[in-house]
């Protein structure tokens, strides 16, 4: 049983394959965090002590101050001055609550979070429910812990039930608190911007609150919801690492606070500035799910825990099958597409061996540029004279499948939809809403809008054999107001917006069961576990320059598996070496192409055909294998990694030089997972190596030249 309650010391112990997590009930009221780390029979328990200026209740005694003991979940206003997880304003207007432990129960499987994505359980999954209550507001608080044993992951969320007589307002609602016993940690986060997503940032924690957040209504390019706290000496292979994430795609807050006792509080969830929610008597609210993992073997193991968890528990099952190698039209054509041109694209794509043609933006309404047409989801008959269905059938006659671009949440003011329903956009009455990429945002918190979109997409795609949707979102939310809510509940709109988006995604999933969705938000602006639940992959970034992709793909792999990472070879011109480099960078994830196939020379097309064939021979390792980073491109002049299967009989090895790499420098690149006592053949060159040789390291000189990369696909030689 992965969850136990030890009556003797009132301690809950949750175990995964390699980790343990414990908290106890103290003074018959408090939940005190005791341990999170390596699986062990015994751990050092927290010993209460007195600290002046830290309040306590008479009945508990002055050694039990809520300001000092490690909390399992923290509350505003009743003696804990650290950053709180929950701020709830009841009838007295103070925001003070005092939730007290009441009871627990076990649940088989998971506890469902209505309307939000969450990790999938199975027959072995167990959940612990802890009940707490605040008598004065009449609110009940339920804490949920789901144990994913094999993946070394515990997920958490909370539910608040208003059982009182007055309304309460939730002003801050974190999905989890974790009070760690030390502060000698580094904090790792991923920051960025459009075409510059997920830069790696690592810095020692310092006293005070350090946080990252999104107030943009999307998880954002600017800060990814992933965060890790690790030993200051932790590296890829060694050291204690705690990794965290949220299964949510909207605004969020991740916090780490080092307090006066030199401990660290970690919290993830819905923060103050971007969130508020009123609960009337009888109503309840459930937070998004937070994900925690612990690794005693450095960052690499944390990443692999997240990869396994995301593949097994988050991504749709169909995403684990081979992904099509697509040719996408965007960088080749932008809005300049029509039936005749794309049928030629389809014909050429089939010849090269691409699996699918993806028609990007520009096929609908008056969408000849980004200033018009968004919201009008009917085919542009100037470009596609016979309509969508005959065109798609024409594409498919070449033996390839077909994908199409949509951006459901957005609208151009110059659109039929806006002219008919100006009240359906997010805009504050009396104020002019700001444009971003010439577009406004539809009020997805209004169910009428979502119903309209469902109706509109039903009509447009009726009888059209689409195999893949690319779901884009090209701006963030501001001027947020919805006429569906009263003035004092407007701060609910961003959360309700996200629920509307998820409802529409779910509808697509159910209405088109054989179709896959690639999500995108101006590139990787919603590269999160929420979107990964619906999409089979995510467009990593609008930046397809391979030198940028080298580090971006590496930092994405810190928290997310390669199976979600959509990587395109973009226009190499006629430069064969550049094509090779772009390919070797892109095969680190799910390969696709984004170039004008009609302009490609015969040798380039032949080489792409060879690449696609080669990629398909090893892509299962990228999609499902274990990822090991040998050299990080943000720490060295080159990137080196490998993917390997469970029994280590296959290894895909990569070395990619950055522009700064120096000629003549030799590197020893150790493939430590290679098996001893066997011989491996590199199927790409025919060279043979023993497992011992690979473990000792491939000794490779850097060329120090533009566009240099090498790839080796080792397969164990059968006797
Ligand atoms: C942004 C996406 O990231 C691009 O790939 C492309 O789909 C454009 N939007 C289309 O407008």
């Amino acid at each position: 049983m992965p969850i136990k309650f030890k009556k003797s010391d009132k301690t809950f112990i949750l175990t995964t394959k390699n980790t343990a997590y414990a908290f106890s009930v103290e003074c018959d009221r408090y939940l005190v965090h005791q341990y999170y780390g390596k699986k062990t029979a015994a751990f050092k328990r927290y010993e209460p002590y007195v600290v002046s200026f830290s309040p306590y209740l008479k009945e508990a005694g002055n050694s039990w101050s809520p300001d000092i003991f490690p909390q399992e979940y923290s509350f505003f206003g009743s003696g804990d001055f650290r950053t709180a997880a929950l701020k709830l304003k009841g009838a007295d207007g103070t925001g003070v609550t005092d939730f007290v432990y009441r009871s627990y129960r076990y649940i088989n499987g998971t506890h469902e979070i209505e309307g939000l994505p969450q990790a999938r359980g199975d027959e072995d999954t167990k959940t612990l429910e802890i009940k707490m209550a605040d008598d004065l507001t009449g609110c009940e608080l339920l804490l949920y812990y789901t144990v994913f044993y094999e993946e070394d992951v515990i997920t958490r969320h909370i539910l608040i039930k208003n059982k009182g007589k007055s309304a309460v307002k939730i002003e801050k609602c974190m999905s989890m608190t974790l009070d760690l016993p030390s502060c000698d940690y580094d904090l790792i986060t991923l920051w960025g911007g459009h075409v510059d997503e997920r830069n790696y940032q690592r810095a020692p924690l310092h006293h005070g609150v350090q946080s990252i957040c999104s107030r943009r209504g999307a998880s954002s390019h600017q800060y990814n919801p992933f965060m890790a706290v690790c030993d200051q000496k932790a590296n890829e292979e060694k050291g204690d690492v705690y990794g965290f994430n949220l299964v949510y795609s909207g605004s969020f807050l991740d916090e780490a606070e080092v307090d006066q006792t030199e401990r660290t509080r970690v919290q993830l969830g819905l923060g103050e500035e971007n969130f508020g929610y009123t609960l009337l008597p009888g109503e309840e609210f459930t937070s998004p799910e937070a994900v925690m993992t612990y690794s005693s073997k450095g960052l690499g193991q944390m990443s692999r825990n997240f990869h396994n968890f995301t593949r097994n528990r988050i991504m749709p099952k169909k995403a684990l099958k081979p992904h099509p190698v697509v040719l996408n039209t965007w960088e080749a054509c932008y809005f300049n597409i029509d039936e005749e041109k794309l049928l030629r694209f389809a014909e050429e794509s089939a010849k090269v061996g691409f699996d699918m043609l993806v028609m990007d933006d520009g096929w609908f309404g008056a969408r000849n540029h980004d200033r018009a047409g968004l919201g009008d989801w009917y085919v542009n008959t100037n470009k596609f004279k016979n309509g969508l269905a005959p065109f798609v059938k024409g594409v498919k006659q070449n033996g390839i499948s077909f994908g199409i671009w949509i951006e459901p949440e957005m609208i151009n003011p110059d659109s039929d939809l806006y002219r008919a329903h100006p009240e359906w956009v997010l805009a504050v009455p009396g104020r002019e809403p700001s444009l971003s990429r010439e577009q406004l945002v539809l009020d997805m918190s209004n169910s009428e809008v979502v119903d309209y979109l469902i109706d509109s997409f039903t009509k447009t795609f009726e009888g059209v054999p689409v195999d893949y949707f690319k779901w884009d979102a090209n701006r963030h939310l501001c001027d947020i107001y919805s006429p569906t809510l009263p003035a004092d509940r407007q701060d609910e709109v961003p959360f309700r917006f996200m629920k509307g988006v998820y409802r529409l995604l779910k509808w697509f999933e159910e209405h088109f069961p054989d179709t896959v969705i690639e999500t995108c938000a101006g590139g990787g602006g919603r590269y999160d576990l929420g979107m990964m639940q619906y999409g089979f992959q995510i467009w990593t970034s609008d930046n397809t320059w391979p030198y940028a992709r080298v580090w971006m793909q590496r930092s994405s792999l810190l928290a997310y598996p390669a199976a979600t990472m959509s990587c395109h070879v973009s226009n190499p011109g006629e430069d064969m070496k550049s094509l090779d480099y772009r390919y070797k960078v892109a095969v680190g994830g799910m390969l696709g192409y984004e170039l004008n196939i009609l302009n490609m020379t015969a040798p380039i097309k032949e080489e792409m055909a060879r690449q696609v064939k080669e990629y398909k021979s090893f892509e299962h390792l990228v999609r499902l294998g274990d990822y090991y980073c040998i050299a990080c491109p943000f720490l060295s002049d080159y990137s080196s990694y490998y993917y390997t299967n469970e029994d280590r009989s296959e290894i895909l090895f990569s070395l990619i030089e950055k522009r700064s790499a120096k000629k003549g420098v030799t590197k020893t690149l150790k493939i430590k997972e290679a098996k001893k006592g066997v011989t491996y053949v590199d199927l790409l060159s025919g060279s043979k190596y023993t497992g011992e040789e690979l473990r000792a390291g491939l000794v490779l000189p850097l060329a120090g030249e533009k566009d240099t990369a090498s790839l080796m696909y080792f397969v164990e030689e059968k006797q």
Side-chain angles (χ1 to χ4, degrees), residues 346-396:
E347 203 183 322
E348 290 304 312
S349 298
K351 284 188 201 153
V352 170
F354 298 141
D355 299 309
M356 178 185 282
L357 178 70
V358 176
M359 174 164 77
D360 211 282
D361 200 349
W363 60 269
F364 53 90
R367 190 73 170 163
N368 299 315
H369 40 67
D370 63 9
R371 299 184 296 285
L374 266 185
D376 298 340
W377 298 111
Y378 41 82
V379 69
N380 180 323
T381 46
N382 291 328
K383 297 180 182 179
F384 297 87
K385 294 195 178 46
N386 305 307
L388 214 45
F391 160 66
V392 177
K393 283 175 193 152
V395 168
K396 292 190 155 193

Side-chain angles (χ1 to χ4, degrees), residues 194 197 221 328 330-331 334-335 360-362 367 370 405-407 437 439 470 472-474 518 520-524 539 541-543 568 594:
H194 180 229
E197 290 92 331
H221 310 79
N328 179 295
W330 178 244
E331 287 191 24
Y334 296 111
F335 299 98
D360 211 282
D361 200 349
R367 190 73 170 163
D370 63 9
W405 181 93
I406 51 175
E407 192 177 2
R437 204 200 185 197
Q439 63 199 55
K470 177 175 172 189
D472 209 343
N474 282 297
E518 168 161 338
C520 168
W539 180 225
S541 174
D542 276 347
N543 189 344
H568 290 182
E594 185 147 346

Side-chain angles (χ1 to χ4, degrees), residues 493-524:
V493 178
F495 181 74
R496 290 179 180 272
F497 174 95
M498 220 41 250
K499 277 195 149 180
V501 174
Y502 289 137
R503 185 182 144 217
L504 191 59
L505 275 159
K506 195 158 190 240
W507 175 82
F508 265 83
E509 208 177 38
E510 288 169 0
H511 193 76
F512 304 101
D514 301 325
T515 309
V516 289
I517 302 172
E518 168 161 338
T519 67
C520 168

